Structures are given as C-alpha cells and as structure tokens.
C-alpha cells in the first residue's frame, strides 16, 4: 500500500505546475442525449482512442492528478454543460468520466446537483469512490489526499438526486485494496479493463458495478 501511495504522490508532485489550454468547444445539436466525456490522466483533450460511441463533447483540461487541475476540469465541465443547457433546455445530459476524469465528474455532481436536473453520471474507475464494497479509492489514501489536495482528495458518494453509476473492477485506483494490487495497475491492464463505449450506459443508470457484480 505504501508503494501505491508513493507512486500516486510522485505523479501529483511532479505535475503541480502543469497547464494545458482547453480546446475550443463546438456547439452540439439539441437532438438526442448530450454525452460529454472527461478523460483520465494524460488524456488532456479527452480524445484517447479508448473512448467509443456517440460522444457530443470532450472536456479539455490539464489531466494530471492534482487538485488545481481537477478544479479546472470541474469548472470546464460545468461551463460546457451549462452552455449546452442554455442552448437546448430540454436535452438530457450524460457525463462520463474515467479515472481522474471520473473524479472530475464526481465533484461536478456533488457541487451542482441542487441546481440542475435531467442529468446522469457514469464514473469509471473513480479515485474518489467511497468504500463499500471494497476500500475507498486512491484519492482517500492518507498519504495521497494531503498531496493532491481539494477537490481531488477524499472519497464520498454524495450525488444528491442525480442518477450516478460507478464501475470498479479489481483496480487500485477505485479500490485501494484491490486483489491485483500495484502489478495489476502497472503491468496487467486492470485499470483499463472497462467498457468505454458510452452508448452502453443508459440515461438513468445508477448504482454500482463492483468486481462484476451489480449493486443497486
């Protein structure tokens, strides 16, 4: 566990001054669901090839795991969703995040649920995932949280009334006690062992998929 914390802390410290310009957003049509995605560490434009399906918007932010970067991601996600909602008031919004991007979506839901509706969220390998089942995600580890800082640090399941689905499968990022441990993260591909086709997640998806078992 100390090795895991050291690795994650090292990533955060090395990235404290990293900045990236956000891409210019293009207006999305009002038909269908507005699906917006937020990529994980290193996926600054949320356009890595693991993403599949009908994606309306990709969030650009400095995708390195420190709080200040997560805050930029949350603010940009909020801007894009609010702009789209102003243009298309009746359109459903589906926000999907992976890893660090899941923490961004998680934080956005926690902060914005009282003032928005007709939205759902999908959190894939969320480092802010609350314990139960399994342990909490890496962002809650006592050696990691003080370094990465708010709003990335910590874990909770406070999503208000926004339907939220979390997915975690033998992955130390979302379950610090995952059986695969650090080797699973570094060499066995456990952290990428998810379905990244956004179309498979419904507009009212909620609950948890934990190690292949669905928990409402």
């Amino acid at each position: 566990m100390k090795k895991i914390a050291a690795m994650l802390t090292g990533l955060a410290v090395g990235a404290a001054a990293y900045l990236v310009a956000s891409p210019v957003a293009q207006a999305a049509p009002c038909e269908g669901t507005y699906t917006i995605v937020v990529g994980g560490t290193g996926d600054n434009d949320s356009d890595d090839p693991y993403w599949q399906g009908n994606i309306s918007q990709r969030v650009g932010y400095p995708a390195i795991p420190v709080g200040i970067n997560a805050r930029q991601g949350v603010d940009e996600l909020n801007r894009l969703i609010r702009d789209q909602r102003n243009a298309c008031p009746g359109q459903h919004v589906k926000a999907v995040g992976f890893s660090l991007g899941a923490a961004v979506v998680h934080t956005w839901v926690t902060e914005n649920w009282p003032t928005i509706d007709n939205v759902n969220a999908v959190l894939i390998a969320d480092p802010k995932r609350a314990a139960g089942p399994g342990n909490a995600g890496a962002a809650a580890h006592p050696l990691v949280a003080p370094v990465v800082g708010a709003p990335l640090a910590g874990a909770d399941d406070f999503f208000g009334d926004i339907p939220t689905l979390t997915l975690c499968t033998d992955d130390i990022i979302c379950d610090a006690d995952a059986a695969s441990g650090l080797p699973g993260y570094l060499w066995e591909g456990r952290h990428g062992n998810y379905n990244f086709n956004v179309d498979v997640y419904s507009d009212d998806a909620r609950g948890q998929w934990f190690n292949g078992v669905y928990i409402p």
Side-chain angles (χ1 to χ4, degrees):
M1 199 64 219
K2 290 183 179 179
K3 291 181 179 179
I4 296 170
M7 177 192 68
L8 295 171
T9 301
L11 278 172
V13 171
Y18 185 88
L19 295 174
V20 65
S22 298
V24 176
Q26 301 296 318
C30 293
E31 294 75 24
T33 295
Y34 177 74
T35 300
I36 184 166
V37 299
V38 190
T41 298
D43 189 7
N44 299 314
D45 294 329
S46 301
D47 62 355
D48 275 4
Y50 55 78
W51 290 114
Q52 300 173 33
N54 294 304
I55 296 170
S56 310
Q57 180 64 53
R58 302 169 189 270
V59 175
Y61 75 115
I64 299 295
V66 289
I68 189 172
N69 293 346
R71 170 49 60 195
Q72 284 188 244
V74 173
D75 291 348
E76 178 66 358
L77 176 63
N78 189 53
R79 182 187 71 81
L80 291 166
I81 289 176
R82 300 288 181 171
D83 285 353
Q84 185 70 13
R85 177 55 56 87
N86 288 337
C88 309
Q91 187 177 38
H92 182 81
V93 173
K94 178 167 63 179
V96 184
F98 168 57
S99 193
L100 177 59
V104 167
V105 175
H106 180 142
T107 302
W108 179 83
V109 171
T110 299
E111 293 179 351
N112 288 276
W113 73 265
T115 60
I116 198 165
D117 59 8
N118 200 17
V119 175
N120 75 298
V122 179
L123 310 178
I124 303 171
D126 178 15
K128 290 178 65 66
R129 190 187 76 89
N135 203 346
H141 190 280
L143 296 181
V144 174
V147 175
V148 297
L152 179 55
D156 66 78
D157 56 1
F158 186 54
F159 306 125
D161 57 5
I162 291 180
T164 301
L165 177 69
T166 65
L167 300 97
C168 184
T169 303
D170 193 18
D171 182 352
I172 62 169
I173 298 302
C174 49
D175 171 14
D177 289 341
S180 64
L182 188 58
Y185 176 79
L186 292 176
W187 303 301
E188 298 172 10
R190 300 289 180 162
H191 189 50
N193 190 27
Y194 297 95
N195 192 334
F196 293 100
N197 186 336
V198 298
D199 298 332
V200 306
Y201 303 112
S202 69
D203 289 354
D204 60 354
R206 67 179 73 212
Q208 290 194 68
W209 279 100
F210 183 77
N211 290 345
V213 177
Y214 179 68
I215 303 166

